[in-house]
Amino acid sequence: AELLFVTDFSSLCSSLCCQCGVPVPPNPANMCVGCLRARVDITEGIPKQGTLHFCKQCDRYLQPPGTWIQCTLESRELLTLCLKKIKASLSRVRLIDAGFIWTEPHSKRLKLKLTVQKEVINGAVLQQVFVVEYIVQPQMCEDCHRIEAKDFWKAVVQVRQKTLHKKTFYYLEQLILKHRLHQNTLRIKEIHDGLDFYYSSKQQAQKMVDFLQCTVPSRCKASQRLMSHDIHSNVYNYKSTFSVEIVPICKDSVVCLSPKLAQSLGNMSQICVCIRVTSTIHLIDPNTLQIAEIDGNTYWRHPFNSLFHPKQLEEFIIMDINRVQEKKKGAGAGPRSNKHTLAEAWVQKTSELNTDHQYFCCTHLGHILNPGDLVWGFDLANCNLNDEFANKMNPHNIPDVVLIKKSYDRTKRQHRRNWKLKQLERDREGTDTDDERQYQDFLEDLEEDEAIRRNVNIYRNADIPVESDTDDDGPPRISLAEMLEDLHISQDATGGEGANMMT
C-alpha cells in the first residue's frame, strides 16, 4: 500500500512527454529536455568559431575597427574582446556564464565556454552550454609596421647645438632615459651636430619639444609639409618638423658677455666661466665669485659665444696660491657662490717649465687647488680673441689666464670607475676617438658636480670591484649610495605562459 501510494503520488506530480512518452515534471512545452533540445537549438545563429588578430611585436590584440589593446591570457580584457566578436548573435539569448577552457599556450587557439538561456515553446526556458573556438592569427599593427619600416613617420624633432663639444647632448640623453621619453620614438638618428627623433604622431613630437624646452635653454621652430589630401573626406596628411636649437654654450666654456647683459646681471665681469648647463646657463665670475643664471629667452635676446673650444685647453702648474677674503660687494652686485673659494694664483705652463715666464690670475677654484697641482685653463694673454664684445673691452680688464678645472690622471679615474650609464639606441653615422674623449669628459663632470648627478640615473658596474670611498687625495668619486642596481626584467608583456604564445 505504501508503494502504491508513492506511485500514485509520483504520477500525480509528473506528465508524459508528448514526443517520447517519458514522465517529466510539468512544463509549458509538455516535452522532456532531450526532445526539446532535438527540436529547438537556442545556439542556432551563434558562430562557433572566430578569429583574433595578434601582433607579435607589441603583444596586443586587435579590437575592430582599428584599436589595439594589451591583454593577457584568460584575462577579463581578453574575455570582453572575445564576447564582442559575437555580441550581435548573443542579443537573441540571455548570457548566464562565460569562461575560458585551458589550451596549450603555443596552440594559437582560445576556447570560450558559454552558458545561455532562451524562452522557447509556450514560455519554457531552456539553458544550454556550448564552446566557441577562436583562432589567433598574427598580424602586425600599424605602430609596429612604422617601426619596422623606419621611414614612415609623421613628425620629426631635430635637436641641434652648434658647438664642438657634446657635453650638453650627453646630459640631455640621460634626462631622456630617466623620464623614458624615448619609448614612443620610431627611430633615433645621430648626426654630426645633433639628434633626430622620429614619431608616428605630431602630439608625441610636441611632447618631446615641451620636454626639451623645460630641460635645456633652447628655442624651437615648427613647420609642416602636405603629403596627401583626400578631397572627399577632407583629410589632410602632413609631415611636421620641429627644429630645436640648444644654446651653443657648454660646461667649462669661457664667454664674454655684452656690457648691457653684464650690467643687468649685477655688474659682473664680462669674462665669465660656465660652470653648468641645465635649464639655464650657470655663470661665475672668477674675480669675485659672483654667479648668475641665464635662461633661453635672455640668451637669444643678448647672444654671446664661447671664446675657446675645448681643444685649446692648456695645462698649467700652480706655483703659488693664496686664498682671498671676500671682497666688498659693489653697488647692485648679485649673489656669490658658497661652493667656491676665491684665490689669487701664480701659474706656469707645463710646456714652459724651462723658462721663468709665469702668469698671475684670480680663480674660483681656491678650495681644491694647492701649490704643485696641475690645472686646465685658457691662455688669454697670447691668443687672438675674435669676439665682438671682447675686442671692445679695456685690455686691463681681460685676465691673462682663466683656470677651468683641476687636472687628474684620466687612466687612473677610468680604472677606478665602478659605475656606468645607459645610452640611447640610435643610428650612428660614425664614431671617432674625439667622441670617446668627450664622453669621458662628461663622466668626469658627473664625478665632480653633485648638482648634475641628481638628474641622472647612475648604475653600479658589477665588473669593477668596490673600493673604499675615503681616498680624499684622489680625484672625486661617486659614492655607492648614489648608484642604482641595473635590473633586467625578462618577462614578456603578456605575462607568464602567455609570453610563449606566438613563439
Side-chain angles (χ1 to χ4, degrees):
E2 184 177 358
L3 183 60
L4 287 174
F5 175 76
V6 174
T7 302
D8 295 337
F9 180 80
S10 61
S11 61
L12 292 176
C13 297
S14 63
S15 60
L16 299 179
C17 176
C18 64
Q19 296 290 328
C20 61
V22 176
V24 294
N27 60 79
N30 200 24
M31 283 189 292
C32 64
V33 176
C35 295
L36 191 58
R37 286 181 177 176
R39 187 173 180 180
V40 179
D41 184 12
I42 63 175
T43 64
E44 185 179 1
I46 301 177
K48 305 302 187 296
Q49 285 189 343
T51 303
L52 291 177
H53 297 282
F54 178 76
C55 180
K56 296 189 294 183
Q57 275 72 18
C58 60
D59 299 329
R60 295 188 299 176
Y61 292 88
L62 174 62
Q63 179 177 329
T67 305
W68 292 83
I69 59 176
Q70 197 89 21
C71 300
T72 58
L73 287 180
E74 299 188 4
S75 64
R76 182 179 300 177
E77 293 79 10
L78 186 57
L79 179 62
T80 303
L81 178 61
C82 294
L83 292 177
K84 284 184 178 180
K85 288 280 187 178
I86 56 176
K87 181 179 180 180
S89 303
L90 290 176
S91 61
R92 297 190 296 267
V93 296
R94 181 187 303 170
L95 181 62
I96 300 301
D97 189 22
F100 285 100
I101 299 177
W102 185 86
T103 55
E104 290 287 346
H106 60 275
S107 64
K108 299 182 182 180
R109 297 292 189 275
L110 293 177
K111 291 185 178 181
L112 204 62
K113 182 180 179 181
L114 303 179
T115 303
V116 295
Q117 289 182 354
K118 185 179 180 181
E119 187 175 329
V120 291
I121 303 173
N122 298 328
V125 178
L126 181 62
Q127 179 172 306
Q128 192 168 346
V129 179
F130 65 103
V131 177
V132 179
E133 182 179 2
Y134 292 91
I135 301 175
V136 181
Q137 292 186 353
Q139 177 179 336
M140 186 177 293
C141 65
E142 295 180 359
D143 296 337
C144 294
H145 187 274
R146 291 170 183 151
I147 295 175
E148 292 296 327
K150 292 185 179 180
D151 292 330
F152 189 87
W153 50 271
K154 291 293 184 67
V156 58
V157 179
Q158 300 174 343
V159 186
R160 300 290 184 268
Q161 187 182 31
K162 298 177 182 179
T163 57
L164 297 177
H165 207 290
K166 299 181 180 179
K167 286 185 179 181
T168 306
F169 271 108
Y170 292 135
Y171 173 69
L172 184 61
E173 177 185 12
Q174 297 304 317
L175 292 179
I176 293 175
L177 287 170
K178 181 175 182 179
H179 297 278
R180 301 180 180 180
L181 265 295
H182 63 291
Q183 292 183 341
N184 295 325
T185 55
L186 301 179
R187 181 190 180 192
I188 302 177
K189 183 179 179 181
E190 179 180 356
I191 59 176
H192 66 282
D193 59 348
L195 294 172
D196 290 344
F197 297 88
Y198 295 88
Y199 294 91
S200 60
S201 66
K202 183 179 178 180
Q203 291 76 12
Q204 295 175 350
Q206 185 64 52
K207 183 178 180 181
M208 171 61 81
V209 172
D210 296 339
F211 174 78
L212 294 176
Q213 292 181 334
C214 296
T215 304
V216 291
S218 59
R219 62 180 177 181
C220 177
K221 294 182 180 179
S223 63
Q224 58 184 7
R225 180 178 56 176
L226 180 64
M227 304 303 297
S228 62
H229 174 213
D230 188 354
I231 60 176
H232 300 288
S233 58
N234 200 27
V235 175
Y236 294 83
N237 182 19
Y238 289 100
K239 279 192 174 182
S240 303
T241 302
F242 297 89
S243 179
V244 180
E245 182 181 0
I246 303 176
V247 295
I249 305 297
C250 293
K251 184 180 183 298
D252 299 334
S253 297
V254 179
V255 299
C256 183
L257 307 178
S258 64
K260 184 177 180 180
L261 179 59
Q263 183 180 7
S264 64
L265 296 177
N267 294 325
M268 65 188 307
S269 301
Q270 290 184 245
I271 302 294
C272 298
V273 178
C274 177
I275 57 175
R276 192 181 305 115
V277 176
T278 55
S279 58
T280 58
I281 304 174
H282 299 256
L283 300 178
I284 187 171
D285 183 358
N287 296 318
T288 61
L289 297 185
Q290 186 174 338
I291 57 175
E293 296 184 11
I294 300 176
D295 57 5
N297 295 331
T298 305
Y299 175 83
W300 298 117
R301 288 198 303 267
H302 307 280
F304 52 86
N305 298 317
S306 177
L307 299 181
F308 303 92
H309 57 80
K311 292 184 179 180
Q312 293 178 300
L313 276 172
E314 297 185 68
E315 193 175 45
F316 295 83
I317 184 171
I318 303 296
M319 308 303 296
D320 189 18
I321 187 170
N322 296 316
R323 277 70 177 177
V324 179
Q325 299 294 331
E326 291 188 4
K327 295 182 178 180
K328 184 178 180 180
K329 287 186 178 182
R336 293 182 178 179
S337 175
N338 297 325
K339 297 182 179 180
H340 300 84
T341 302
L342 185 63
E344 296 178 346
W346 286 93
V347 298
Q348 187 177 13
K349 291 183 181 180
T350 55
S351 59
E352 299 177 352
L353 291 179
N354 56 346
T355 65
D356 295 334
H357 193 186
Q358 297 184 7
Y359 302 90
F360 175 79
C361 64
C362 293
T363 178
H364 60 290
L365 304 177
H367 58 294
I368 58 175
L369 294 181
N370 295 296
D373 289 344
L374 298 177
V375 61
W376 294 103
F378 293 108
D379 182 8
L380 279 73
N382 302 314
C383 68
N384 294 324
L385 295 178
N386 186 15
D387 185 80
E388 175 186 0
F389 306 119
N391 294 334
K392 297 179 181 179
M393 288 182 61
N394 187 345
H396 297 287
N397 296 332
I398 300 178
D400 294 338
V401 174
V402 177
L403 302 182
I404 301 301
K405 60 180 179 179
K406 188 176 180 180
S407 176
Y408 298 99
D409 186 2
R410 170 164 289 185
T411 304
K412 183 179 179 181
R413 297 185 74 167
Q414 294 180 3
H415 179 72
R416 299 176 59 184
R417 187 170 292 141
N418 57 347
W419 55 274
K420 60 183 180 179
L421 300 176
K422 293 185 177 181
Q423 296 184 359
L424 289 174
E425 296 182 2
R426 54 186 181 269
D427 300 335
R428 299 177 184 266
E429 289 185 348
T431 57
D432 51 19
T433 55
D434 189 58
D435 292 340
E436 179 62 26
R437 181 187 63 83
Q438 294 182 13
Y439 187 69
Q440 293 299 326
D441 290 342
F442 172 69
L443 298 182
E444 294 175 1
D445 292 341
L446 286 180
E447 293 175 337
E448 297 171 3
D449 195 340
E450 183 181 357
I452 299 180
R453 293 202 301 266
R454 296 172 184 170
N455 302 326
V456 176
N457 284 343
I458 300 175
Y459 299 90
R460 195 175 76 85
N461 190 358
D463 299 333
I464 306 299
V466 179
E467 299 181 4
S468 174
D469 297 338
T470 58
D471 187 6
D472 296 333
D473 298 332
R477 301 178 61 188
I478 299 179
S479 62
L480 291 175
E482 300 179 71
M483 302 181 191
L484 303 174
E485 293 292 337
D486 191 7
L487 301 178
H488 298 281
I489 302 176
S490 59
Q491 291 185 354
D492 198 272
T494 53
E497 297 177 348
N500 302 324
M501 183 170 188
M502 290 287 104
T503 58

